[in-house]
Amino acid sequence: MSDRSIQLKNSVNLKLVETGEKERLKDMLRQRLTECGWRDELKEHAKDIVRERGLQKVTVDELVKEITPKGRQLVPDAVKRELLAEIKKFLSAQSQ
Amino acid sequence: MCSSFRVQVIERDAAIPYNLQLLRLLHESGGAVAEDKSEDVGRMIQKDIYCEVWKAASVQAKWCVCSVCGGHSPRVHACLHCIHFACYQGHIQEHATATQHNLVVDVEQGQVLCMGCGDYVYDSEVRRIALACKEKSRRSLGLDTEYRAWAPDAVEMTLLQAHPKRRRPTPNSTIGNTCFMSCIIQALTHTPLLRDYFLSDRHVCQFNNDSSRCLVCEIARLFQEFYSGNKAPLILHKLLHLIWTHARHLAGYEQQDAHEFFIAALDVLHRHCQGNPPSNGDSTHTCSCIIDQIFTGGLQSDVVCQACNGVSTTIDPFWDISLDLGPCPYSTSKTDKTVPTSLADCLDRFTRPEHLGSSAKIKCNGCQSYQESTKQLTMKKLPIVCSFHLKRFEHSNRLHKKISTFISFPEHLDMTPFMSTRRNNNNNHNGITAHPTDINNRYSLFAVVNHVGSLDAGHYTAFVRQHRDQWYKCDDHMITRATIQDVLQSEGRYWSMTEGFLEHGGYCLASVVVAGLNSMLAGAHRNQGNWYLVILQV
C-alpha cells in the first residue's frame, strides 16, 4: 500500500471514530450478522472446535485463527454491500 | 486461563461513574500492578474504551491507535502498567517482552489479556464494568441497548440441568365444536414473539379493576398455563366466553370458521391492547400494540388507468393474506387458466396485475373519467408474522364447495418477489427468480392449521413448531410428534383418506428490521436465529 493510501485510510478512520459513526456502523453490522444467522453458525463452529480440543487447551488466538477463514466466507454479499454503501454515504456527507 | 486474577472494586466516591475509583489488580504470573497505577485501569476502561461523552470520542480517536505502526490497526490493546497503546499484530507483545508489563486490555472489547499465560482473562467484575461502560457509551451515541444472546445464569443453569426434558405443547380441551378455536390458540401460543411478550409480562391492562373482561389478560394467563409444564389439557371456556362477548357473531356452540375466529381474536386483542392508535385516523397504520407490531403488514394497491396510464396508489394494512385457489374466473390469457399448486403460485397470482374489466370502470383521477383499469396488489411492508389463508371454501352463487387441490408450501419462504419494489420494476414475472434474495424477506414456517372433512362437517387440526425443528400435531387434546415432512405433505400423509386439506398457514418473518419495534422485541426475534411463519387454512 502506498503512503498516500495509508494516510487516507488513517484519516478516514479518525473521522469515523471521532464522530461515533464507527460504533454505529459496527452496531449495524452486528445486527445484520445476527439476523442472517451468521453469528449462530460461527458460534456453533467455534463451540465444535472448543469441544474437540478441550476447554483448557484452546486459546483465543488459536480460535480466532481457525474460525476467521470460515467467518469471512460466510458473510452474505448483501451485508457487505450495505456496509460499503453506508461508509460511502458517511464519507460523502463529511466531504460536503 | 488465569485463575489467580482478581479485581476488586472499592467504592469510595459515588459521584464517579460506576464507582470505579479504584481498581486493584492482583496477578501472580504477571506481577502485581502497583497500586498507584491501578487508577489508570479504571480511567482507561471508562474513557478510552467506551467513551461516555461525545468529547471523549476525539480522545479515543487520537490515542487508541498503535503507537508503533501509527495506524488504526484492528485490536488495539492498552498496557495496564504504563501508558502505551499498541496493536495485537505483534507490537503489544514486543512491549510486554521488553518491559515485563504482562497485563493489557483490548480497547474494543474491554477484555484483559495476560501475556504471562498467553490468553484472555475472564473476570466477572471486569466484564460487568466493561458492559456498563459500553452501555453508557451507546446511549450517548443514541443507540439502543445492544442485543445479546441469552445466556443462562447460575440459577437458570441449575434449573435447566435439573429438568432435562423439554415440554410438549399443552393440549386444549374442546367444548362443543370449538376445535377451530383450539387450533388457532395453538398457533398463537407458538408464535415466538407473542410468547416472549406474554411470558415477560408486558401487558398493561386497560380495564381497571376488571381484568376478567380483558381478552389480552386471558391470553396472558393462557400463556402462563401453557408454558407451566402442567400436562393436563387446558380448558378454554373463559376465552370462549370472552370471544362471545366481544365478537358476537361468533357466539354459539356451532362449528365456526377458524379463519374468522383468527381475525376476530386479533381484532379483540388489538382493541384491548394499549397501543397508540393512529391519531389522524388515516390508513397508514402506526398502532404500537403488540398485535399490530407482529401481524400488521402493508398492502400496496396500484390501479392503472388504461386510458391515461395514471397510477393511483393506496396502502392498506393487513393481518393476513387470503389466497384464491382454483382456476381464475376472469382471466383471458392461457397461463392464468392453470390452477395454482403451490403457495408461490398463489402469491404470484395474488400480486399479478388484474384487469378489472368493462363492468367495473373506475373514475380515474388523472383523466377525470370512468375508464377500464388494471389493479395490482403488492407487499409494501411485510409483517413479522405473515399469515396466509388458502380459500378452500368456495362460495359462488348457490354453489358452496371445498377446493381440495393439494397446495404445497415451503418450510422457508422468500417474499422478495412479491414486494412492491420488486414487482413494480418488473411486471414480467418470468424474471422473478433472477433476483438475489433479500435476507430481510425470508420467513420460516411455524404453524399450519388444517381442515379435514367437508364444508358443513369438518374438523380442525394444527401443526405447530417448537424450538427450531420440533413439530407437533395438535388434534384437540391429542398431541403427537410430527416431522417437517408430515407437515409439508400433510395431504399425502394424513388427509388423503379423510379427504382433508391444508387450509390456512402462517409464516413468521425471518429477520426483522421494523421501525418502531422496541429492542426487546427485536432482540427476542433475532434470538431465534431463524424465522417463522404461521399459515392458517380455512
Side-chain angles (χ1 to χ4, degrees):
Chain A
M1 220 190 293
S2 71
D3 275 358
R4 214 185 110 64
S5 71
I6 292 175
Q7 226 174 32
L8 190 69
K9 201 174 151 190
N10 284 344
S11 66
V12 166
N13 219 314
L14 197 70
K15 261 282 182 280
L16 285 171
V17 179
E18 267 177 6
T19 52
E21 181 70 11
K22 193 166 182 175
E23 273 308 310
R24 242 173 258 124
L25 289 174
K26 280 202 306 208
D27 186 58
M28 187 204 85
L29 182 64
R30 215 173 291 143
Q31 236 180 59
R32 292 292 179 274
L33 291 177
T34 309
E35 286 164 6
C36 70
W38 180 90
R39 189 181 186 281
D40 287 347
E41 196 161 333
L42 215 63
K43 192 172 168 182
E44 279 310 307
H45 184 54
K47 272 188 186 167
D48 286 344
I49 292 171
V50 174
R51 261 190 223 112
E52 200 182 294
R53 301 255 189 97
L55 186 62
Q56 298 303 322
K57 291 184 193 125
V58 61
T59 66
V60 174
D61 271 349
E62 290 163 5
L63 202 58
V64 168
K65 212 173 278 170
E66 197 136 339
I67 64 171
T68 304
K70 190 172 180 181
R72 283 187 195 280
Q73 177 207 333
L74 284 177
V75 179
D77 285 346
V79 175
K80 292 184 194 168
R81 269 199 300 272
E82 187 180 359
L83 187 62
L84 187 65
E86 284 295 316
I87 296 173
K88 278 184 180 159
K89 204 168 87 189
F90 169 75
L91 289 179
S92 65
Q94 284 292 312
S95 58
Q96 270 166 18
Chain B
M1 214 192 286
C2 291
S3 51
S4 52
F5 182 84
R6 299 270 188 290
V7 177
Q8 287 173 345
V9 181
I10 298 172
E11 302 183 13
R12 278 210 308 217
D13 184 352
I16 293 184
Y18 322 118
N19 302 322
L20 247 179
Q21 203 157 37
L22 186 62
L23 261 173
R24 192 182 297 152
L25 302 172
L26 302 165
H27 195 259
E28 281 167 15
S29 61
V33 180
E35 210 165 300
D36 57 331
K37 291 283 179 196
S38 55
E39 220 168 315
D40 292 341
V41 180
R43 246 199 348 248
M44 274 179 210
I45 294 183
Q46 282 179 64
K47 279 199 187 144
D48 304 325
I49 308 172
Y50 303 113
C51 41
E52 300 153 28
V53 282
W54 197 255
K55 211 173 122 196
S58 58
V59 179
Q60 191 195 34
K62 199 171 151 200
W63 286 104
C64 289
V65 293
C66 178
S67 58
V68 183
C69 41
H72 284 266
S73 357
R75 300 184 67 193
V76 170
H77 285 59
C79 178
L80 288 181
H81 303 251
C82 62
I83 298 181
H84 184 85
F85 292 88
C87 70
Y88 196 67
Q89 334 288 51
H91 294 137
I92 192 76
Q93 287 90 336
E94 279 168 19
H95 173 77
T97 330
T99 59
Q100 289 298 306
H101 290 171
N102 275 339
L103 282 178
V104 294
V105 59
D106 182 334
V107 297
E108 298 263 324
Q109 304 296 332
Q111 304 275 21
V112 176
L113 172 72
C114 169
M115 291 291 184
C117 45
D119 203 0
Y120 287 86
V121 178
Y122 302 98
D123 183 275
S124 54
E125 194 55 37
V126 167
R127 183 151 174 78
R128 191 188 64 78
I129 296 161
L131 287 177
C133 293
K134 196 169 191 175
E135 188 53 44
K136 192 151 188 186
S137 126
R138 289 176 65 88
R139 240 175 290 145
S140 75
L141 289 171
L143 295 169
D144 283 346
T145 306
E146 186 190 359
Y147 162 68
R148 273 195 297 276
W150 172 73
D153 62 22
V155 179
E156 289 164 333
M157 196 65 107
T158 332
L159 281 171
L160 282 169
Q161 275 161 354
H163 302 90
K165 272 185 92 173
R166 297 291 168 261
R167 266 182 5 81
R168 289 181 164 206
T170 306
N172 298 328
S173 250
T174 47
I175 320 159
N177 294 318
T178 57
C179 59
F180 66 92
M181 174 171 76
S182 138
C183 280
I184 297 297
I185 293 303
Q186 286 286 4
L188 286 179
T189 40
H190 287 86
T191 305
L193 286 171
L194 271 187
R195 178 199 62 202
D196 296 350
Y197 174 83
F198 282 115
L199 291 186
S200 56
D201 207 13
R202 309 252 300 181
H203 169 59
V204 183
C205 187
Q206 53 174 337
F207 290 85
N208 306 327
N209 313 323
D210 193 12
S211 62
S212 63
R213 282 174 56 220
C214 176
L215 186 66
V216 192
C217 288
E218 174 61 13
I219 294 277
R221 197 186 61 80
L222 281 179
F223 265 95
Q224 294 291 346
E225 292 216 5
F226 214 83
Y227 288 95
S228 67
N230 191 351
K231 289 205 181 72
L234 282 179
I235 297 161
L236 305 173
H237 62 278
K238 247 187 107 181
L239 178 82
L240 188 65
H241 179 250
L242 277 169
I243 294 282
W244 285 355
T245 327
H246 295 291
R248 295 205 171 274
H249 61 287
L250 290 176
Y253 280 95
E254 310 85 58
Q255 173 74 292
Q256 296 285 351
D257 186 294
H259 176 237
E260 212 171 307
F261 174 79
F262 173 66
I263 294 300
L266 286 190
D267 182 52
V268 178
L269 284 172
H270 160 73
R271 279 191 274 137
H272 290 188
C273 271
Q274 230 159 10
N276 304 321
S279 47
N280 44 0
D282 68 355
S283 61
T284 47
H285 234 263
T286 51
C287 177
S288 66
C289 83
I290 185 73
I291 297 299
D292 277 313
Q293 282 191 57
I294 296 179
F295 293 98
T296 304
L299 196 61
Q300 177 170 332
S301 155
D302 293 306
V303 176
V304 182
C305 169
Q306 293 297 286
C308 66
N309 277 332
V311 185
S312 99
T313 300
T314 50
I315 292 161
D316 295 310
F318 70 88
W319 273 338
D320 72 336
I321 298 166
S322 286
L323 298 164
D324 285 310
L325 306 177
C328 184
Y330 311 108
S331 81
T332 44
S333 90
K334 262 185 214 151
T335 48
D336 288 0
K337 285 291 179 203
T338 51
V339 175
T341 57
S342 68
L343 186 62
D345 286 351
C346 294
L347 281 167
D348 191 34
R349 172 160 151 192
F350 183 76
T351 53
R352 193 176 293 177
E354 182 193 353
H355 192 73
L356 290 177
S358 50
S359 56
K361 286 186 180 171
I362 291 178
K363 189 174 181 194
C364 171
N365 282 332
C367 46
Q368 297 297 331
S369 61
Y370 286 86
Q371 295 293 342
E372 283 187 26
S373 44
T374 59
K375 180 178 163 191
Q376 182 174 27
L377 297 172
T378 47
M379 305 290 152
K380 180 72 181 170
K381 175 183 161 275
L382 289 170
I384 297 171
V385 171
C386 191
S387 303
F388 297 106
H389 163 219
L390 305 181
K391 293 205 264 187
R392 292 214 175 262
F393 296 144
E394 192 175 47
H395 305 279
S396 57
N397 302 331
R398 278 163 296 155
L399 190 69
H400 301 288
K401 63 168 185 177
K402 184 168 171 179
I403 301 167
S404 56
T405 336
F406 173 69
I407 302 288
S408 69
F409 52 94
E411 189 185 358
H412 299 282
L413 176 74
D414 180 16
M415 289 293 281
T416 313
F418 314 110
M419 300 299 291
S420 305
T421 43
R422 178 59 47 79
R423 276 299 214 186
N424 293 353
N425 298 337
N426 173 24
N427 281 326
N428 160 18
H429 46 263
N430 295 330
I432 286 170
T433 46
H435 290 271
T437 299
D438 184 345
I439 50 160
N440 291 326
N441 302 333
R442 275 192 69 206
Y443 285 81
S444 79
L445 187 70
F446 78 88
V448 178
V449 177
N450 291 302
H451 181 262
V452 196
S454 67
L455 195 62
D456 30 51
H459 181 54
Y460 285 103
T461 60
F463 283 105
V464 291
R465 189 185 76 183
Q466 278 197 342
H467 307 294
R468 195 169 281 237
D469 51 2
Q470 311 271 306
W471 283 91
Y472 295 93
K473 184 187 177 200
C474 308
D475 186 348
D476 290 342
H477 61 283
M478 302 241 305
I479 307 286
T480 45
R481 266 309 259 281
T483 65
I484 181 69
Q485 281 75 28
D486 293 335
V487 181
L488 297 182
Q489 317 202 335
S490 27
E491 194 181 51
R493 290 290 296 267
Y494 287 114
W495 321 115
S496 55
M497 284 178 286
T498 46
E499 288 188 319
F501 345 79
L502 269 170
E503 299 248 320
H504 204 132
Y507 285 80
C508 180
L509 187 50
S511 69
V512 205
V513 198
V514 177
L517 200 67
N518 63 42
S519 57
M520 166 259 164
L521 263 176
H525 184 80
R526 283 186 223 115
N527 198 3
Q528 303 296 320
N530 225 325
W531 332 110
Y532 343 92
L533 156 74
V534 189
I535 298 197
L536 298 157
Q537 320 220 27
V538 191

